[in-house]
Amino acid sequence: MKPLLILVTALHLYAGADEALRQQALSSGLRPTPADFGALLQALNKDEAALSREKIRLGKELFFEKALSKDRDISCATCHRFDLGGADAKPTAIGTADLANPSHLNTPTMLNTAFSHYLFWNGRSESLEDQAKGPMQAPFEMAITPEAAERRLAATKNYPPLFQKVFGSSAITFDKIADAIAAYEKTIVTRGRYDEFLDGNLTALAPDEKEGLELFITKSCVGCHTGVGLGGVSLRKFPLVHHRIWSMATPDEVAKLWKEYAIFLEEAERAKRQHLSFPDDSGRLAYLESHLGKKRVKLLEEGFFHQLNRRARLQAMSSGGCAECHDTATQNVPESLAEKVLFPFENQGGFLGAAEPKGYFRVPLLRNVVRTKPYFHNGSVEKLEDAIRFMARHQSRVTLRDEEIAKMIKFLEAADGEIVDYGE
């Protein structure tokens, strides 16, 4: 076979494989961001009257308006920074007067939320119009009342005419404020090379990025992180799979170990109060192994109790047995233990997702996840590779190799695009 013919044949084979991957992605529910304003309106099922240019411009003004916070010190844009992927790179959200979120929840991205069906970590809002009202009123965020927001904007020279132009009346209401902000947020969406690939440009992604996309699909990530935003369209139980401590020992063995470790913590507290000699943090592992045995200490370490020097980690464990812990389903964890042992990382703030359905979280959007560290609802995980490893293990029962995680990150980098300019 002639060299040129070999080359052409190889190119056709590669193109065929790439098109097959593209079709696999589309059939899995992945969709590109609309490239122009008309396509955006169609995707959102809106007409230009509902999402007019004038309303979008007003919403943009309000998104950056610090007068909508009690102390006039922050705006929506303060926590949702475009250079940080629509978030703020903080483990817990900080509001007006430097108040921290009481549940240690961090700021979710607002980029691409136009395509979300649920908002907030517990999914309690189903529209951006409703969601916009929450942070403005929350006492630890912008902390303003609807009446105060209305009065402040009405007292300005520029806002009444803008509301007149958009809504046909200069009267400013809280509903109109939220409506305009939501309109602007629906246009803050991103496109990158990943979108070009989905649109048919088979050379838009590098080979390792395509391999990452394939892994993203075949390792079941796409089961939750789907749609245009790579998430945001569903509430899911998290974590689905308990740590393997639940299958490494019988319930009686686990309960007995918990009680013995609780006694150890009591001894440590008593020694500290009485200024008695007791192993410090660096010597506690050896001390525990000598008293409990290496196998049982391994259970402690791998059962989410790796920070053995923190009493709060196991505070609930001296209160009783664990007869109900035989099942791997999260709903069978005793309520008194849930906040301490439910997650594969320290659950600062004790947030457990939605109350109904219990323990469900809004699936985060992954389009700009490479810029939105730290990860998970309370920012407990700093590195993206660790977050991916946790999700594979505790949501999909999959153990990923380091090279697989690296390729998946390459794909996520390709899905991190720039904000689309839909024009004025």
Side-chain angles (χ1 to χ4, degrees):
M1 186 178 289
K2 295 181 179 181
L4 181 58
L5 182 58
I6 294 175
L7 177 61
V8 171
T9 302
L11 289 175
H12 277 295
L13 289 174
Y14 280 122
D18 291 343
E19 178 60 23
L21 175 61
R22 187 178 84 91
Q23 292 300 327
Q24 184 182 16
L26 293 172
S27 64
S28 298
L30 301 180
R31 295 291 182 270
T33 298
D36 58 68
F37 190 65
L40 176 67
L41 291 175
Q42 185 175 5
L44 298 178
N45 196 24
K46 300 288 184 181
D47 56 30
E48 290 198 37
L51 199 62
S52 67
R53 300 287 190 175
E54 291 81 6
K55 185 186 288 187
I56 293 167
R57 284 193 288 268
L58 172 58
K60 183 176 182 179
E61 291 279 343
L62 296 171
F63 188 83
F64 289 88
E65 181 56 75
K66 291 186 177 181
L68 290 177
S69 64
K70 179 182 178 182
D71 293 343
R72 300 177 184 267
D73 56 344
I74 64 172
S75 67
C76 301
T78 302
C79 294
H80 296 290
R81 291 177 48 179
F82 297 163
D83 62 327
L84 296 175
D88 59 10
K90 298 176 182 177
T92 184
I94 305 296
T96 188
D98 292 327
L99 293 174
N101 184 288
S103 296
H104 207 280
L105 298 180
N106 63 21
T107 302
T109 179
M110 45 69 54
L111 297 180
N112 302 297
T113 50
F115 310 109
S116 291
H117 298 170
Y118 299 92
L119 288 307
F120 296 111
W121 281 109
N122 58 6
R124 65 183 182 272
S125 285
E126 296 184 9
S127 72
L128 283 169
E129 289 80 2
D130 180 66
Q131 184 276 334
K133 298 177 181 179
M136 284 191 281
Q137 297 179 85
F140 47 85
E141 292 187 66
M142 298 171 77
I144 199 169
T145 65
E147 296 77 17
E150 293 165 359
R151 286 196 305 270
R152 286 186 181 182
L153 298 186
T156 65
K157 292 182 178 180
N158 60 314
Y159 280 115
L162 291 176
F163 275 79
Q164 173 72 45
K165 188 173 184 180
V166 172
F167 296 103
S169 170
S170 61
I172 296 176
T173 68
F174 197 59
D175 284 343
K176 291 178 182 178
I177 294 171
D179 186 17
I181 292 174
Y184 171 59
E185 290 179 334
K186 288 172 185 175
T187 68
I188 313 176
V189 299
T190 60
R191 271 182 66 89
R193 291 182 293 105
Y194 160 68
D195 299 281
E196 295 176 17
F197 179 80
L198 292 183
D199 281 336
N201 180 0
L202 301 182
T203 63
L205 296 181
D208 54 354
E209 294 166 344
K210 292 172 185 175
E211 291 178 35
L213 172 57
E214 185 174 12
L215 286 167
F216 188 82
I217 297 170
T218 59
K219 299 299 183 180
S220 302
C221 308
V222 75
C224 296
H225 296 282
T226 187
V228 178
L230 295 178
V233 297
S234 61
L235 299 178
R236 293 299 174 96
K237 189 83 170 179
F238 175 71
L240 282 175
V241 182
H242 265 208
H243 199 278
R244 56 185 178 148
I245 188 173
W246 305 107
S247 60
M248 290 170 65
T250 67
D252 288 342
E253 289 172 333
V254 173
K256 183 179 180 181
L257 176 58
W258 281 347
K259 288 181 180 180
E260 291 184 23
Y261 185 60
I263 292 173
F264 164 79
L265 293 174
E266 290 289 350
E267 291 176 352
E269 283 289 311
R270 185 166 54 253
K272 183 178 180 180
R273 289 195 302 269
Q274 299 177 2
H275 305 289
L276 300 176
S277 175
F278 201 81
D280 59 15
D281 292 348
S282 62
R284 287 189 179 191
L285 184 61
Y287 181 88
L288 281 170
E289 287 180 348
S290 67
H291 284 72
L292 301 178
K294 288 188 176 182
K295 180 180 177 181
R296 302 181 78 212
V297 171
K298 185 177 180 63
L299 285 178
L300 285 173
E301 287 185 305
E302 296 194 359
F304 304 164
F305 316 132
H306 51 284
Q307 299 183 51
L308 297 179
N309 60 318
R310 296 197 179 188
R311 174 177 172 75
R313 206 78 174 129
L314 298 173
Q315 190 173 5
M317 296 181 184
S318 61
S319 60
C322 192
E324 297 178 47
C325 294
H326 61 281
D327 201 304
T328 59
T330 53
Q331 61 265 32
N332 287 335
V333 180
E335 188 69 27
S336 61
L337 303 178
E339 293 188 12
K340 306 299 177 186
V341 303
L342 195 61
F343 295 96
F345 47 79
E346 186 175 2
N347 189 24
Q348 298 180 65
F351 185 76
L352 297 175
E356 188 63 38
K358 185 177 179 181
Y360 278 66
F361 288 72
R362 173 221 191 201
V363 176
L365 293 88
L366 297 188
R367 270 192 173 266
N368 36 307
V369 72
V370 295
R371 288 186 284 163
T372 59
K373 68 175 185 180
Y375 299 103
F376 295 107
H377 60 282
N378 59 8
S380 290
V381 176
E382 181 70 19
K383 296 181 179 179
L384 182 55
E385 52 262 45
D386 291 333
I388 293 172
R389 187 175 290 109
F390 282 147
M391 290 301 296
R393 182 179 301 162
H394 296 283
Q395 293 300 99
S396 303
R397 297 178 183 267
V398 171
T399 299
L400 295 176
R401 302 190 304 274
D402 289 345
E403 56 268 29
E404 291 177 318
I405 293 175
K407 289 176 181 177
M408 205 173 289
I409 291 176
K410 285 294 185 182
F411 158 64
L412 292 172
E413 289 173 348
D416 180 60
E418 298 299 320
I419 295 176
V420 180
D421 182 7
Y422 288 120
E424 292 293 325

